[in-house]
Amino acid sequence: MKTTHARTARLLVGIAILAGCAAPALPVVESNDNRVSAGTLENGVLTLNLVVAMARWYPEDSGGSFTELPVFVEEGQRPQIPAPLIRVPVRNALADSVVKVFGFNGATAGADSTTAVAPGETQAFDYAADAAGTF
């Protein structure tokens, strides 16, 4: 019986100590206007370090209700919603072939939606995340 009381006392002391410790403040999510690309593009290579981290998001205003959720964050930057904008140019270096690229036209564009990239041409692909999911 004494062992049970001793364990209970230690547990209560442990809970009291934890309750007195303040949890680290989470960074607040900023709105991403998608005007600045994430990462560094150098010599045709995009370097981008993404981290999944917890952040506090105020969906309506900074004084309103919030939720704490995991978000993609560009390493060393503030968390943003939507996630960091990733832009990657595609250049067709084939002298004699048109390349048809698919999958860069948004989720609702359909599997048969393609973009032709002519020989020597560079094509930028921009699309809105028009449905929830992975793009």
Side-chain angles (χ1 to χ4, degrees), residues 3-122:
T3 305
T4 303
H5 289 300
R7 278 192 226 137
T8 303
R10 281 193 296 254
L11 178 62
L12 292 174
V13 168
I15 290 171
I17 290 170
L18 288 175
C21 297
L26 291 176
V28 175
V29 172
E30 296 176 351
S31 178
N32 184 356
D33 63 7
N34 284 327
R35 293 183 186 192
V36 178
S37 298
T40 305
L41 184 61
E42 189 172 318
N43 297 322
V45 176
L46 177 68
T47 301
L48 174 61
N49 295 317
L50 288 178
V51 177
V52 178
M54 292 300 293
R56 181 176 285 186
W57 180 42
Y58 294 84
E60 305 218 2
D61 65 63
S62 61
S65 60
F66 64 87
T67 185
E68 294 177 351
L69 69 163
V71 295
F72 281 110
V73 181
E74 183 178 2
E75 194 165 46
Q77 303 296 321
R78 307 243 344 129
Q80 299 176 324
I81 290 181
L85 174 64
I86 301 171
R87 285 192 177 132
V88 181
V90 175
R91 184 174 65 87
N92 179 3
L94 303 174
D96 60 351
S97 300
V98 171
V99 175
K100 291 192 176 182
V101 179
F102 67 94
F104 292 116
N105 297 323
T108 59
D112 59 346
S113 178
T114 62
T115 300
V117 183
E121 180 182 52
T122 297

